[in-house]
Amino acid sequence: ALLDLSGVHQVKGTWMGSTTLPCTYTPSEGFTQHTLTWSMERDYRTSTLFRRDDSGDHVLLSQFRDRVSVPKHSPGNASLLIENLEIPDSGHYTCQVIWRSKNNSLITKEVTTTVKVVKVAATKPVIRAGELGLTVPAGARTSLTCVASGSPPISYRWFRGTPGGKALLLSSQAELAWDSLRPSDSGSYYCEAANR
């Protein structure tokens, strides 16, 4: 198919995260991209949020300023990246590309994607051990890293002890590191992950 746009029907985005709305085509000889616009429909109102033409890139809706972009130097890729997703970003987004042919006629194609922005609770974290694993010689450097997913920002806390028992707060970073392990560092550690 000559100059067909391809995209996806639906994209789920995580609140405060980022998402890409695909819109791609295979560049074809004799056709140049004349304009590219991304518009958004929400509550039965449609407004153009991004336009690329001879004069450059323009973000036309203030709530998207500094949060949306389209790849600059990859012909055929008109995908829209939206960062720091907000709940009101949910809606129907249409990518419209107009090409000019050698005989100066214009061809227009469009593809629409529905975006749903959701709040996602932090998952139960996973602990990743350093290269040496969990049985480590005294004097060695090592670390434990706490990893969770969900709507950013995610905060982490490391404790020594067991959940529900007596516990000592050691760190408010995702990584718990030791420069030189001592035998007294042996024991139980756990991490907590939380988001809003």
Side-chain angles (χ1 to χ4, degrees), residues 46-62:
T46 300
S47 15
T48 299
L49 70 97
F50 178 92
R51 180 181 167 93
R52 172 177 289 172
D53 54 28
D54 299 341
S55 66
D57 288 1
H58 311 279
V59 177
L60 305 171
L61 292 180
S62 56

Side-chain angles (χ1 to χ4, degrees), residues 104-143:
N104 269 342
S105 60
L106 297 176
I107 295 178
T108 303
K109 291 278 172 78
E110 47 189 45
V111 63
T112 299
T113 300
T114 301
V115 173
K116 201 169 159 51
V117 180
V118 290
K119 295 186 178 186
V120 179
T123 57
K124 184 180 169 74
V126 178
I127 294 176
R128 297 212 177 115
E131 291 168 21
L132 300 171
L134 293 172
T135 306
V136 187
R141 292 175 72 112
T142 194
S143 66

Side-chain angles (χ1 to χ4, degrees), residues 12 16 21 33 36 41 82 88 95 97 106 130 134-135:
K12 251 196 179 155
M16 301 306 292
L21 283 49
Q33 184 175 300
L36 156 67
E41 183 208 333
I82 310 176
C95 171
V97 179
L106 297 176
L134 293 172
T135 306

Side-chain angles (χ1 to χ4, degrees), residues 147-162:
V147 185
S149 61
S151 296
I154 297 177
S155 62
Y156 296 98
R157 295 196 304 169
W158 274 102
F159 297 89
R160 179 161 189 180
T162 50

